[in-house]
Amino acid sequence: MKHQHHVEKPAKKEKMDHSKMAHSKTKHGSNPTMGHEGHNHAMMIADFKKRFYVVLALTFPIMLLSEMIQQFIGVEWQFTGSSYILFALSSIVFFYGGWPFLKGLVDEVKAKNPGMMFLIGFAITVAYVYSVAVVFGLQGMDFFWELSTLILIMLLGHWIEMKSIAGASKELELLVQLMPVDAHMVMPDMMHDVKTDTLKENDIILVKPGEKVAADGVVLEGESYLNESMLTGESKPVQKGKGDNVIAGAINGNGSIKVTVSHAAKDSYLSQVIKLVDDAQKSKSKTQLLADKAARWLTLIALVSGIGTFLYWYLTGQSLAFAMERMVTVIVICCPHALGLAVPLVVAKSTALSAKNGLLIKNRTAFENSRKITTIVFDKTGTLTVGKFEVSKVVSLQKELLENEILRLASALEQKSEHPIATGILQKVKELSLPIPATENFNAITGKGVEATVEGKKILVVSPGYLKENNIPIPDSFEVNDTETVVFVLINNALAGFIALSDEIRPESAEAIKTLKQNNIKSILLTGDNDKVAKSVSETLGMDSFMAQVLPHQKLEKIKELQGKGEFVAMTGDGVNDAPALAIADVGIAVGSGSDIAAETAGIILVNSNPKDVVNLILFGKATYRKMMQNLVWATGYNVIALPLAAGVLYNQGVLLSPAAGAVLMTVSTIVVAINASMLKVKS
């Protein structure tokens, strides 16, 4: 039985750094860094769009003035100075349209990290310099129309790509926009509208029907249904009344509620989620590092192949213009554009989508590793069961002692605990309107229960394991069913009675276990409860096995045992007394952490304690990894086929790619990767 509920929570291993999250908000109430980044991104999209249209307008006269195009359409529009007009128009295209790429080239050279911009900048510079030389006397044909169409398509590709990135991060922006800008603060004599980010702990705010909750807090007055779906993925509105917790960003139904603010906006659950999603999108997993490495190699291959192609054709007797054209085409087609986007787009999309569905990713590698899970260890209470214990039986073992007296004394010890068993006992005491006495010399017996002095008597509320260890015989009259959890009450070391509580199995649990089975993933129940309860729950749900009477510190050993058998283990726990087990598991999943999303050691946090979310997480992890692999295969496979064609391998068969065709192929490749990433969905 998990009864370590009186022990203080261990210190968090990692706290979210809220100091970095500035207090001020943009017009949507977002944190300013997000707003600033979003604004910059929008400006860059607008810049590429403007450059694209200017280059498009100039490309038409450039093509009409180009000798090769004139030959192709059978006209001759050459006139004195036409080559200089062509040079002037192309120079505008090169310096204005090509500016983002030229700037990128310089930046990458400075950073000693040549990449995509370096390749594009290098290719257009070679084409431009050669064409200018032709205008001023070098024998050959200029490249101006190819240069213009190449820059045009590159600008279009970048514009589309940036819009795709903006789309992938849109879910995060939507989360940011959930926080309302203003709040109705209740003053002693009046109501006063204030900025959300000025709210402090213990302020009282009014949330009117249809409005968003402005801060995390506790309902002080009123009743309403709240829609928390954008925060937790839970589609059904949740009923809230006095004493219930509410989350900032939730949408109020048709009742008015007054809320006591728990903490400032910067520490709200929503702010933490935004920070978490932002960090996860920026963090790199092994797949991302693999893609980065491949992109660096592709840059090197592009340069070597480009120069090699130039030398081959030039030294085998082709014209300088032909050799240059082949080099430019190879370098353009080899740009690791699609490869550079293959993983980041999927990362941005998956992380934000997860947050909207109540799956918060703290560690990208843990999320990607979820596809390898062979065994899931479920902590019983609150995950597979509702976690809401109700007193089903109170039995006195001493004739002169009433059942209510046993409950009253037990409640004195349980009043300081948040454990589900304690909550169940206190709920019963509240229903019976029994007064709760004070305690002295309170002490928690790790994993076994609690003890204290109440009204001069030594009272213990303990698990059956404690009785066994201390050789206290369990009376013959002791009888509970398989699903009940029992605590014994001792008065002055004499067994006084017991309280039986039952915890209902969640309706979603059986379906979740069935889906895991279909995916060849074993499910194991881990609980501090006795064998009878564990066996009953395990068999009811059709789980593979169970581990009963496991104390918190033994959970770690059980996970190690499974790993020793070659299993890839995921552990789901509440993130407090399960911290060591969550840390040692291959994938640690903290469940039911509610607004405490900085659960110590878990790589992934599930906002709801729903076992279906664990299944969704694994299936989504697999889907995300599949998308990454598809994108990587597409991005590299395209280069393997296109590069030889660009180099002129099939030149003798009459197949030759122009630089513009190469740019089109590269852009199409990028768009395919972006569309594929955008099709990622969380199945629920």
Side-chain angles (χ1 to χ4, degrees):
M1 185 183 78
K2 190 167 95 180
H3 209 80
Q4 193 204 4
H5 51 288
H6 298 280
V7 181
E8 277 188 37
K9 288 188 182 185
K12 302 276 182 214
K13 279 202 181 175
E14 57 176 282
K15 271 278 184 194
M16 295 214 167
D17 185 0
H18 297 297
S19 60
K20 291 178 188 166
M21 294 187 66
H23 297 211
S24 61
K25 303 267 184 277
T26 63
K27 66 174 180 171
H28 295 298
S30 66
N31 86 53
T33 49
M34 286 298 312
H36 184 64
E37 281 174 23
H39 180 64
N40 279 353
H41 204 79
M43 279 177 68
M44 284 167 80
I45 293 171
D47 184 57
F48 272 103
K49 182 180 174 182
K50 191 166 93 180
R51 289 177 197 273
F52 169 76
Y53 282 120
V54 170
V55 172
L56 180 66
L58 293 173
T59 299
F60 286 109
I62 287 170
M63 290 183 79
L64 292 173
L65 287 171
S66 289
E67 204 177 321
M68 188 186 279
I69 300 295
Q70 289 177 17
Q71 284 174 10
F72 180 71
I73 58 176
V75 295
E76 193 179 328
W77 292 332
Q78 295 295 324
F79 54 87
T80 309
S82 63
S83 61
Y84 294 111
I85 294 170
L86 190 58
F87 159 65
L89 293 173
S90 301
S91 294
I92 297 169
V93 167
F94 175 69
F95 288 108
Y96 179 72
W99 175 250
F101 311 114
L102 298 172
K103 185 177 177 295
L105 177 146
V106 173
D107 291 344
E108 286 181 1
V109 168
K110 276 183 188 168
K112 294 180 184 159
N113 186 21
M116 197 168 58
M117 289 300 195
F118 176 85
L119 290 179
I120 299 169
F122 180 70
I124 61 174
T125 303
V126 166
Y128 177 72
V129 170
Y130 172 76
S131 301
V132 171
V134 169
V135 170
F136 292 101
L138 184 73
Q139 283 301 303
M141 198 176 275
D142 66 65
F143 256 22
F144 285 133
W145 79 268
E146 286 99 333
L147 173 73
S148 187
T149 49
L150 177 60
I151 288 174
L152 184 73
I153 292 158
M154 285 294 179
L155 286 168
L156 178 66
H158 270 69
W159 177 19
I160 292 169
E161 170 208 321
M162 292 184 86
K163 284 188 82 167
S164 301
I165 291 170
S169 297
K170 194 168 65 191
E171 279 86 3
L172 179 55
E173 287 294 331
L174 288 173
L175 281 175
V176 171
Q177 290 169 24
L178 277 179
M179 188 71 92
V181 186
D182 300 314
H184 312 302
M185 191 162 153
V186 180
M187 306 281 201
D189 52 346
M190 60 177 283
M191 185 97 66
H192 188 54
D193 280 1
V194 296
K195 293 289 173 202
T196 301
D197 51 21
T198 62
L199 292 173
K200 307 183 298 298
E201 190 179 347
N202 297 326
D203 281 347
I204 296 167
I205 56 170
L206 175 73
V207 186
K208 295 177 184 175
E211 289 185 340
K212 287 175 185 169
V213 178
D216 291 358
V218 179
V219 178
L220 179 69
E221 203 180 287
E223 248 183 42
S224 189
Y225 279 88
L226 263 64
N227 181 350
E228 298 176 342
S229 60
M230 266 299 277
L231 302 150
T232 65
E234 184 61 61
S235 53
K236 283 185 294 194
V238 188
Q239 188 174 12
K240 300 284 183 182
K242 189 174 178 178
D244 288 333
N245 290 323
V246 292
I247 310 172
I251 301 164
N252 188 18
N254 52 12
S256 276
I257 51 172
K258 279 185 185 173
V259 174
T260 306
V261 176
S262 304
H263 39 235
K266 68 182 176 66
D267 294 323
S268 73
Y269 168 76
L270 185 59
S271 294
Q272 291 187 60
V273 172
I274 291 162
K275 171 85 167 63
L276 197 71
V277 174
D278 201 28
D279 287 349
Q281 286 189 355
K282 287 171 184 166
S283 69
K284 294 195 175 187
S285 64
K286 285 176 186 169
T287 319
Q288 172 70 66
L289 295 171
L290 172 76
D292 289 350
K293 204 171 182 180
R296 273 197 292 276
W297 272 104
L298 202 54
T299 301
L300 193 64
I301 290 165
L303 282 171
V304 171
S305 306
I307 294 163
T309 300
F310 170 79
L311 292 171
Y312 172 79
W313 288 114
Y314 189 59
L315 297 174
T316 53
Q318 287 289 349
S319 68
L320 181 63
F322 182 87
M324 294 280 269
E325 186 188 64
R326 286 307 89 219
M327 177 173 77
V328 168
T329 311
V330 165
I331 286 173
V332 166
I333 222 159
C334 233
C335 278
H337 215 194
L339 196 57
L341 280 177
V343 176
L345 275 179
V346 179
V347 166
K349 184 82 177 169
S350 68
T351 320
L353 266 180
S354 303
K356 279 175 70 177
N357 285 275
L359 320 173
L360 302 176
I361 298 162
K362 281 179 74 183
N363 181 323
R364 292 266 353 145
T365 304
F367 175 57
E368 283 174 33
N369 282 344
S370 62
R371 74 184 193 283
K372 300 181 197 167
I373 293 167
T374 58
T375 299
I376 291 196
V377 177
F378 284 98
D379 184 44
K380 178 179 76 80
T381 307
T383 308
L384 296 173
T385 61
V386 176
K388 201 172 178 185
F389 281 93
E390 289 182 357
V391 173
S392 49
K393 197 185 292 175
V394 182
V395 176
S396 171
L397 299 170
Q398 294 178 7
K399 278 182 183 172
E400 70 283 3
L401 204 64
L402 294 171
E403 278 85 358
N404 280 8
E405 182 63 6
I406 288 169
L407 266 176
R408 190 179 76 86
L409 293 171
S411 70
L413 278 71
E414 300 291 10
Q415 63 187 320
K416 293 179 182 173
S417 173
E418 290 173 7
H419 189 276
I421 287 175
T423 311
I425 291 172
L426 291 166
Q427 184 62 38
K428 189 71 178 173
V429 167
K430 194 176 168 187
E431 281 170 24
L432 297 169
S433 302
L434 299 174
I436 300 173
T439 60
E440 292 169 29
N441 310 320
F442 181 89
N443 179 42
I445 310 161
T446 308
K448 301 286 188 332
V450 285
E451 61 183 353
T453 306
V454 181
E455 296 171 347
K457 299 170 194 156
K458 186 186 176 188
I459 309 291
L460 280 89
V461 179
V462 292
S463 68
Y466 179 87
L467 299 190
K468 266 186 201 167
E469 268 182 29
N470 291 276
N471 299 317
I472 301 169
I474 295 174
D476 299 335
S477 58
F478 173 70
E479 200 179 290
V480 290
N481 68 38
D482 289 353
T483 57
E484 285 179 319
T485 296
V486 177
V487 289
F488 288 91
V489 179
L490 284 81
I491 302 175
N492 293 331
N493 295 324
L495 197 55
F498 64 86
I499 302 167
L501 301 100
S502 55
D503 183 13
E504 198 185 326
I505 292 174
R506 278 179 175 271
E508 311 94 344
S509 295
E511 194 189 328
I513 301 300
K514 189 178 163 193
T515 311
L516 288 174
K517 268 206 163 77
Q518 288 165 357
N519 284 273
N520 299 317
I521 297 167
K522 296 188 203 85
S523 54
I524 296 174
L525 178 68
L526 184 71
T527 179
D529 262 337
N530 60 55
D531 278 353
K532 268 186 165 183
V533 173
K535 189 169 188 277
S536 168
V537 173
S538 176
E539 285 177 358
T540 305
L541 294 174
M543 297 177 81
D544 292 278
S545 63
F546 65 87
M547 298 172 185
Q549 289 175 309
V550 181
L551 294 175
H553 64 275
Q554 294 171 332
K555 291 180 180 179
L556 175 81
E557 299 307 319
K558 296 291 182 189
I559 301 292
K560 279 186 180 172
E561 271 174 41
L562 289 166
Q563 288 172 327
K565 292 175 190 168
E567 300 287 349
F568 197 88
V569 184
M571 163 78 189
T572 68
D574 65 10
V576 181
N577 56 20
D578 300 325
L582 287 171
I584 200 79
D586 297 293
V587 179
I589 305 167
V591 292
S593 303
S595 60
D596 179 19
I597 65 161
E600 304 80 58
T601 42
I604 299 154
I605 296 138
L606 304 184
V607 177
N608 301 309
S609 309
N610 189 337
K612 267 181 77 180
D613 284 351
V614 179
V615 178
N616 289 346
L617 170 81
I618 294 165
L619 298 180
F620 187 53
K622 286 184 173 182
T624 299
Y625 188 76
R626 259 198 316 274
K627 283 281 179 223
M628 286 179 179
M629 286 301 117
Q630 284 166 6
N631 276 358
L632 287 175
V633 167
W634 169 265
T636 46
Y638 138 84
N639 278 298
V640 168
I641 293 161
L643 195 147
L645 288 177
V649 168
L650 297 178
Y651 173 58
N652 294 329
Q653 282 74 39
V655 178
L656 204 61
L657 286 177
S658 71
V664 168
L665 277 177
M666 197 203 82
T667 301
V668 167
S669 163
T670 306
I671 293 166
V672 168
V673 163
I675 290 170
N676 192 35
S678 70
M679 287 165 76
L680 186 67
K681 283 183 176 60
V682 179
K683 287 178 185 162
S684 54

